[in-house]
Amino acid sequence: MTERRPAIAVTGANGFVGAALCRHLLARGERVVGIVRDPGAALVKGVERCVVGPVGPETDWKAALTGVGRVVHLAARVHVPWDGAAEALEEFRRVNTYATGNLAREAARQGIQRFILLSTIKALGDGKPDGTPYTDTDPLAPTDAYGRSKAEAEEAVALAAAGSGMAVAMLRPPLVYGPDVRANFLVLLRACDTPYPLPLGGIGNRRSLLGLDNLVSAIALCLDHPEAVGRKFLVRDGEDLSTPELAARLRKALGRPARIVWAPVGPIKALARIGICRGLAQRLAGSLLADDSGIRSLGWQPPLTVDEGLARVAQWWRGR
């Protein structure tokens, strides 16, 4: 009788990144356990379901890790309407810090071979004042509740793995876009799919981006590559864009004329300074760059260009 090989467990398997990763892993012949909160969560066909209920400090991960050899931890709290409040930090910590630490400790106890944490570039900050890219070895310096909870999660995973024999790798993506995208990118997508001019021409920022397929490719590499162990990687498409450039290329993918007009950037920056729509204003006008030379040194190359990634977003948007 053939012994079943250990599965790869994916938390948040029904999410934006999780579903795409599950499809990729199944296509290469892996057994995949999808760890989800809700029994009714839609999973990619072929994924073995494991329900753990609400994700937080009290989550019991034991059964979810039975028969598992590697873990990819994607489940996270990402957006709340009152970002920055003290209550928001504790809500982020419940899912992103405490639950992650508990999962990593249980994984180490059960002899999991490799643990991949999806963190964020925001664990390093919201952009360097001098406009230079963050590097893999920069110190943690988060500026908001989400980034802080993820920085603490990185520390919790490293502590859990220390001396256990469990190999760990972490990825810190910037803004991720792709089919089924949500949040701020969806706001921009909706604005781009109109005939109206967009007053973004005065913005002279630069931002690193990451297509969903490229992120999945990077996660898959970290699951297997021996030199990924113990490292934290920034990942990007390879081409940094300003907000007006992104909007123009997104409109091209949608089959619309660019129609990007000049407008003063001062009002947008003022909103960020006084705390009104701070997150969206920062993403529109601020710069946030990543140096991905670390993961590229392992031979990784993004499988899709920015324009190919945006074309996939446009195709999904048109056919949704």
Side-chain angles (χ1 to χ4, degrees):
M1 182 175 179
T2 303
E3 184 179 352
R4 298 183 82 197
R5 57 200 173 92
I8 298 175
V10 178
T11 70
N14 60 320
F16 171 53
V17 178
L21 177 63
C22 288
R23 283 191 290 269
H24 179 89
L25 295 176
L26 289 170
R28 72 178 201 180
E30 302 283 1
R31 276 187 58 219
V32 181
V33 174
I35 302 177
V36 294
R37 295 175 297 173
D38 184 356
L43 290 176
V44 174
K45 185 178 180 181
V47 173
E48 302 170 29
R49 182 186 305 269
C50 182
V51 180
V52 295
V55 174
E58 67 288 340
T59 304
D60 185 350
W61 302 101
K62 293 183 182 67
L65 299 179
T66 301
V68 168
R70 290 167 288 175
V71 172
V72 182
H73 184 41
L74 306 176
R77 184 181 181 92
V78 182
H79 298 284
V80 293
W82 17 274
D83 184 14
E87 297 89 344
L89 176 58
E90 283 310 304
E91 286 303 309
F92 278 122
R93 278 175 165 161
R94 278 185 56 81
V95 178
N96 298 350
T97 306
Y98 309 143
T100 297
N102 286 346
L103 172 60
R105 287 188 291 273
E106 184 60 35
R109 280 192 291 267
Q110 294 205 27
I112 295 298
Q113 299 159 8
R114 189 167 296 203
F115 189 103
I116 309 299
L117 173 66
L118 187 65
S119 184
T120 172
I121 192 174
K122 289 175 74 64
L124 301 177
D126 218 9
K128 290 188 175 181
D130 61 2
T132 58
Y134 287 114
T135 68
D136 292 340
T137 57
D138 280 334
L140 297 170
T143 61
D144 64 11
Y146 171 64
R148 186 171 175 182
S149 69
K150 281 293 200 175
E152 292 170 353
E154 290 188 13
E155 294 172 332
V157 170
L159 183 62
S164 71
M166 182 173 73
V168 170
M170 307 183 194
L171 294 102
R172 295 164 167 165
L175 185 151
V176 179
Y177 64 93
D180 295 313
V181 70
R182 296 291 182 266
N184 291 317
F185 196 94
L186 183 59
V187 174
L188 179 62
L189 176 59
R190 284 174 173 151
C192 287
D193 196 22
T194 69
Y196 308 114
L198 296 178
L200 303 173
I203 299 174
N205 64 344
R206 305 296 293 176
R207 295 190 76 87
S208 296
L209 307 170
L210 185 61
L212 179 60
D213 294 273
N214 295 340
L215 173 57
V216 165
S217 169
I219 294 171
L221 177 138
C222 289
L223 274 168
D224 297 315
H225 203 295
E227 294 180 33
V229 174
R231 298 177 66 178
K232 302 170 184 178
F233 297 109
L234 290 161
V235 195
R236 58 189 270 275
D237 284 336
E239 183 180 5
D240 303 320
L241 302 178
S242 68
T243 298
E245 287 172 338
L246 173 60
R249 287 164 75 163
L250 190 50
R251 278 195 152 173
K252 181 179 179 181
L254 291 164
R256 292 187 177 275
R259 302 198 72 190
I260 308 296
V261 298
W262 186 91
V265 72
I268 294 176
K269 291 185 175 180
L271 289 177
R273 282 196 300 271
I274 64 177
I276 298 174
C277 301
R278 179 179 178 181
L280 182 56
Q282 173 64 21
R283 286 165 178 79
L284 282 174
S287 292
L288 182 58
L289 298 173
D291 176 348
D292 64 348
S293 56
I295 195 166
R296 287 176 184 265
S297 72
L298 305 187
W300 180 80
Q301 295 288 332
L304 296 185
T305 66
V306 172
D307 288 326
E308 288 169 339
L310 294 178
R312 293 198 177 186
V313 174
Q315 183 180 26
W316 160 75
W317 179 249
R318 289 283 182 250
R320 71 196 187 284

